[in-house]
Amino acid sequence: MNMAADFAMVLPEEILSAAAILLMLVAAWGGQQVTRLVSIVSVFVLFGAGIALLGPASYGGSAFSGLFRADAFAAFCKVLIYGASAVAIIMAPDFFGRTSGDDLRPEYPILILLSAIGSGMMVSAGDLLTLYVGLELQSLSAYVLASFMRRDSRSGEAGLKYFVLGALASGILLYGISLVYGFSGSTLFADIAQAYAGGRSPGLLFGLVFIFAGIAFKLAAVPFHMWTPDVYEGAPTPVTAFFASAQKVSAMAMGIRVAVEAMGPALADWRQIVIFASMASIILGAVGAIGQQNIKRLLAYSSINNVGFTLVGLAAGTAQGVSAVLFYLTIYVVMTLGSFLVVLQMRDADGQQLETMASLSGLSRTRPGLALAMAMFMFSLAGIPPLLGFNAKLAVFDAAVQAGLFPLAVIGFAASVIGAYYYLRVVKVMYFDEPAHSFAPGDRVEGGLIALSAAFVSPLGWLLLAPLGAWTLTAAQSLF
Amino acid sequence: MQGFPILSVMLAVPAVAAIACLFLRAEAARVVALAATLIDFALGIVLWSSFDIGGAQWQFVESAPIFGRFAWALGIDGFALMLIMLSVFLMPICIGASWKSVTERVPEYMAAFLFTEVLMIGTFAAQDLLLFYVFFEAGLIPMYLIIGIWGGANRIYASYKFFLYTLLGSVLMLVAMLYMSQAAGTTYIPTLMAYDFPAHVQTWLWLAFFASFAVKMPMWPVHTWLPDAHVQAPTAGSVILAGVLLKLGGYGFLRFSLPMFPEASSQLTWLILLLSAIAVVYTSLVALVQSDMKKLIAYSSVAHMAIVTIGLFAFNRQGIEGAMIVMLSHGLVSGALFLCVGVIYDRLHTREIARYGGLSINMPRYAVFFLLFTMASIGLPGTSGFVGEFLSLMGTYRVSTWAALVCTTGIILGAAYALYLYRRVAYGEIKSEEVRAMPDLTSRELWLLAPIAAVVLWMGVYPESFLAPMRQDVGRLLARIERATPPSDSNPTAGRPTALAAAAHAETHP
């Protein structure tokens, strides 16, 4: 492979990096007043990077002697990541503009861009070190984003908590990487897979456990989930939406790639870990959400719950399972962004953000359209047909049943009933209770995005099932 | 009629009307809803009249594989036809029943009912396993909202209980469906109905489906959501719940459990008979002591549904035909009884039986209708209830004399609680001035009850109209499950009419 071909495969990353550096200079010189400009340019840059994915970045194979993978799987995940990042930038100005205290600063879109680059590296990694570098770039930007509201003590607390626990997780992951390197003699996925195929050794097994623990932390899968509710609650809402969407995709995709490409021969070993994490996340995510009064904390538990469902697909360990995970993630990202956009609309007459469940009371009378959209997201997250969330659950359990994991499917489905309880609670508050607040009218762009995501999860989205299914399957098959 | 996608149109009409309702004011929404349900009823009549009795098993077939994993496949046989007719017949009546009594958030209310209609028709018409599940399960959402928004005082508890109970039942069914579609390589129901699953797998699949249908039915001991849901739901909600949604369970047994798992059905017939026998006696006794009218009718529904299940699992023609007629009859009769309760509830705003009395004096027309439906509920000959219960119990007798014996006491107990209810409400002295002031049926209410009364009598006097479309399908079902007929303790021996006739002949002509 010559150098030019290698660089063509990382074109999206190049575009994003160059833009991030340039915009940082613009921000440094321009100061506060260029915020709007930087935001708009960042969104276009993300679109540009998305278009660049059409090139060798989606079919080139491996670049830089196997350090970097440019395949359909990575391209698919990057589409989701870039899309979610763009939405996170679009939803920010209105939020910061209305919240007293902190203004939006031009660094916000730049940090999102940097985080998107890191996420892109994670899903494209062909080597444990590429993976680690990508992960750190993504995480460091995320720590800053979490504490972006400098005068809000909750935001600062969220950033600090995220940083301390994130650093611990990185340490665990790095320890796992060092063990795997020590016992297999390489950090390249292909070589590691050979070492795992060659037979079991305690060192490799320990490495596997530590690496999966690190991934579980990034994914917020039980038992490494404790940071999630606090960080989600404290971080500014657009950042929370970003954490719950783009970061979830990148962490999940990284997990899939490591599991399938590097540790594929050790399927039986990591499957136990994945099944445990999946069951525990589904159940704990569902039970933990029941008592929550803060809507952001509720959505945090909901994300833990959903991670559990995506892991069901990974536990199957087949191309169909991975395809189901990607399918699930796509629908999940739309539902999550939609719900957070609705949360952003929850503002009292002064524009201050409201976050309690009670403030949603009677929303169906004051803002019927908004309530309908939120109800659709909630039923969809609960997996009730005919909303699209049902098809997502169907896909992962279909894969699990095909792999013969019947107990997993039965327990998972039964636990989804517990989850349905708290999603129903949101609907109950909106539809059955008397109106409490009338929200300030919302932004038109956000309204449009909400309508778009609601249309996607509605039965209209069913028409996309066949093409989306075909696309995720192609993406998944590029790993096997 | 072939080629015109009448089933899709029947689904599209209420769906479009429901979306339109959301954008309309209350008066317009009522009119649109009534018009849409009447159009659907008219389409239903067209469907019935162009249904070829004795023709192909599946008619009006449509199929479009547009959803990737599963297809938009519709088509009906005689069973589905009858249940679709029941749904489209009851829907305009439900809209009419809510015309005056629902005053808040009317557009949403009408939209919820129209969506329910779409989902009910879809459930009966679906020919794809997963499409069936989608329609079956989606019905929870509008019903949850109907109970929760327009229900009584304790509506929130009832709506949660209804939703979570039925959801828990159905998710197990979904796992079974996934397995079946992978094992058989298709989600097309007619193919699956002829597919032979291994016997040990059948048992598990049967139990998974049972979990869902038993809750939906509802069978004892998972019936407890029903009285709560009924009591709290608005009148029209109760009508649709009792009239059609309870039939989904019976339809499920008929469409899935019996033809797909005949061996398992045969092995587990004892379970069905046992639970049904307990249900008949227990819920009838519970109904006897109720002081709330709606609760009384709700418990009587559980007892009637038990007669359906024993008939279905009798593995013979009388039983299955009887079960279908009980389902249709119960849909009409219990729906009408809930309407009767709604009529007086709208006047006095209480369902306490003790508050009423002597209604036959000041509401004679009402008393006549109420009496007719009470008698039909008991199963008086000449009404639809008799035909169904008689056939069903006769079929059961050929499988288990004990089950038939216990379940027949249900008719006696049914007479007890229904007549006792009627005596307390309609006979005796007028209880209070409030009751005396209650006016008789208005012409709107008359128009709601009269059509049901006509059909109840029609089904009681000439059930052939309703049995004819199903006859061939019952035959096909029996041909499929015959090989697994469970052993019987009755062993009826056929009479010998020819020998007797010959003997008589010999006597007269020595």
Side-chain angles (χ1 to χ4, degrees), chain A residues 38 88 109 129 221 228 249 298 359 372 382 391 404 460 466 471 479:
Chain A
V38 173
L129 289 179
T228 322
V249 175
L298 184 117
S359 57
L372 183 65
N391 294 79
L460 288 179
W471 192 13
L479 286 187

Side-chain angles (χ1 to χ4, degrees), chain B residues 138-155:
Chain B
L140 296 180
I141 298 178
M143 210 57 211
Y144 169 75
L145 295 175
I146 288 171
I147 297 175
I149 301 179
W150 296 279
N154 199 15
R155 58 185 203 276

Side-chain angles (χ1 to χ4, degrees), chain A residues 212-363:
Chain A
F212 269 85
I215 293 171
F217 181 91
K218 292 293 168 191
L219 260 180
V222 176
F224 302 100
H225 66 287
M226 333 61 141
W227 57 276
T228 322
D230 292 335
V231 172
Y232 277 30
E233 185 192 0
T237 310
V239 176
T240 312
F242 179 70
F243 287 173
S245 54
Q247 288 213 336
K248 280 277 191 274
V249 175
S250 57
M252 193 70 218
M254 167 180 89
I256 291 172
R257 204 182 267 283
V258 170
V260 173
E261 286 203 336
M263 300 175 182
L267 170 71
D269 295 324
W270 57 258
R271 183 184 262 171
Q272 299 169 28
I273 303 177
V274 171
I275 288 181
F276 170 77
S278 156
M279 287 291 85
S281 305
I282 292 175
I283 293 171
L284 206 127
V287 174
I290 289 175
Q292 300 305 323
Q293 289 305 323
N294 183 301
I295 191 92
K296 279 164 81 178
R297 282 186 87 85
L298 184 117
L299 287 172
Y301 278 103
S302 151
S303 82
I304 296 172
N305 182 252
N306 278 290
V307 161
F309 284 113
T310 49
L311 286 173
V312 171
L314 178 57
T318 56
Q320 201 211 358
V322 172
S323 157
V325 174
L326 294 179
F327 185 75
Y328 195 107
L329 282 175
T330 314
I331 295 170
Y332 167 75
V333 163
V334 176
M335 295 187 295
T336 306
L337 289 176
S339 331
F340 276 106
L341 279 162
V342 174
V343 172
L344 273 186
Q345 310 303 308
M346 296 166 59
R347 285 179 295 241
D348 61 13
D350 305 329
Q352 290 306 306
Q353 199 67 36
L354 297 167
E355 287 175 5
T356 58
M357 284 276 273
S359 57
L360 277 172
S361 305
L363 190 68

